[in-house]
Amino acid sequence: QVQLVESGGGLVQAGGSLRLSCAASGRTFSTYSMGWFRQAPGKERDFVAAIRWFDGLPFIGESVKGRFTISRHNPSSMVYLQMNNLKPEDTAVYYCAASRGSNFRGEMEYDYWGQGTQVTVSS
């Protein structure tokens, strides 16, 4: 069982930066690949980024490539999403998720989800 709690969301102007954090509970955190997804109002939940559990290899969604980075710190059971050069279209609720699957871009691969944190980017 893994419980996830996101933090770090908020209101930021276009061009600004935010860092989202996800705190995980559970002794097996290091064996889960971790992902970030986002859902804007009236839209489906989309893949943002993921980081593989055994080698830390990151996977970044095309719409945020070059602006967002994902990292993790296994000793503290934390995963981070650094978001730079934010755009109004990045406005969404951002979710952290844990997976033991291999298709990191598919939300069906994820077993545990956080409650989400709101990110709002003003123009």
Side-chain angles (χ1 to χ4, degrees):
Q1 187 82 7
V2 176
Q3 292 184 323
L4 304 171
V5 179
E6 304 95 336
S7 62
L11 174 64
V12 63
Q13 287 189 330
S17 298
L18 282 174
R19 188 176 81 153
L20 304 184
S21 300
C22 175
S25 64
R27 280 180 262 179
T28 59
F29 169 78
S30 63
T31 64
Y32 283 86
S33 295
M34 299 299 295
W36 287 96
F37 287 75
R38 67 186 183 186
Q39 187 168 23
K43 296 189 177 181
E44 295 185 348
R45 191 153 53 185
D46 290 331
F47 171 76
V48 175
I51 186 163
R52 201 158 58 185
W53 71 272
F54 60 89
D55 60 359
L57 183 70
F59 300 81
I60 307 296
E62 288 300 318
S63 63
V64 303
K65 194 167 286 185
R67 300 187 296 122
F68 291 13
T69 57
I70 186 171
S71 61
R72 65 188 295 162
H73 187 248
N74 286 340
S76 60
S77 299
M78 296 291 295
V79 63
Y80 303 99
L81 183 70
Q82 179 65 44
M83 307 186 294
N84 297 328
N85 191 21
L86 283 160
K87 303 176 181 180
E89 52 263 42
D90 295 319
T91 295
V93 177
Y94 284 71
Y95 297 90
C96 173
S99 170
R100 281 190 164 156
S102 59
N103 178 17
F104 304 117
R105 287 174 170 78
E107 62 176 295
M108 297 301 292
E109 293 287 306
Y110 290 81
D111 306 297
Y112 302 102
W113 292 83
Q115 293 300 305
T117 185
Q118 176 71 47
V119 172
T120 303
V121 185
S122 63
S123 57

